[in-house]
Amino acid sequence: MDDTDIDVDARITEDRTVIDVTGTRDVAVVVRSDDGERIYLPPEGFDDPVGGSPYTSPYQGAGAGGEESPYGGATGSTRGVMETADGFRVTHPQPVTEFDVFRGGRD
């Protein structure tokens, strides 16, 4: 994957939506569901290089179904957004009807 490629994977169930963004943290995700529209911004420090430590796990801080866990790894998380080793994960508490991904400007 070069520095212009990103990958977005969405899983929608009857009670939640999980969207994984990999390859960059320089995007915002806008979701629309029955309760309206919500904007998810990347975790703080999103401009840090992607890749990090070889000891960083994309599963760190997540419990069953992608929920945050009290058992460590909660740093770097905000409500509904969790940093992963190569991007971030958005967990929305409803099935979405539509979502958009907006990429940050390029220098």
Side-chain angles (χ1 to χ4, degrees):
M1 197 180 284
D2 68 27
D3 66 349
T4 60
D5 291 340
I6 64 170
D7 187 40
V8 178
D9 179 51
R11 293 171 307 286
I12 303 169
T13 65
E14 63 185 42
D15 64 343
R16 83 173 63 208
T17 300
V18 177
I19 301 170
D20 289 312
V21 177
T22 57
T24 186
R25 294 186 182 111
D26 193 11
V27 298
V29 178
V30 178
V31 300
R32 288 163 202 86
S33 61
D34 289 342
D35 282 350
E37 183 175 274
R38 180 156 181 195
I39 300 171
Y40 292 94
L41 299 175
E44 286 188 38
F46 72 89
D47 53 353
D48 294 342
V50 174
S53 164
Y55 304 105
T56 302
S57 167
Y59 306 105
Q60 188 172 331
E67 292 296 315
E68 288 188 16
S69 168
Y71 300 109
T75 59
S77 295
T78 59
R79 185 175 168 209
V81 178
M82 181 178 44
E83 184 175 357
T84 63
D86 55 356
F88 63 98
R89 171 175 290 160
V90 170
T91 303
H92 185 73
Q94 292 184 320
V96 301
T97 56
E98 183 179 346
F99 73 92
D100 293 301
V101 176
F102 295 95
R103 189 168 195 166
R106 301 194 65 104
D107 292 342

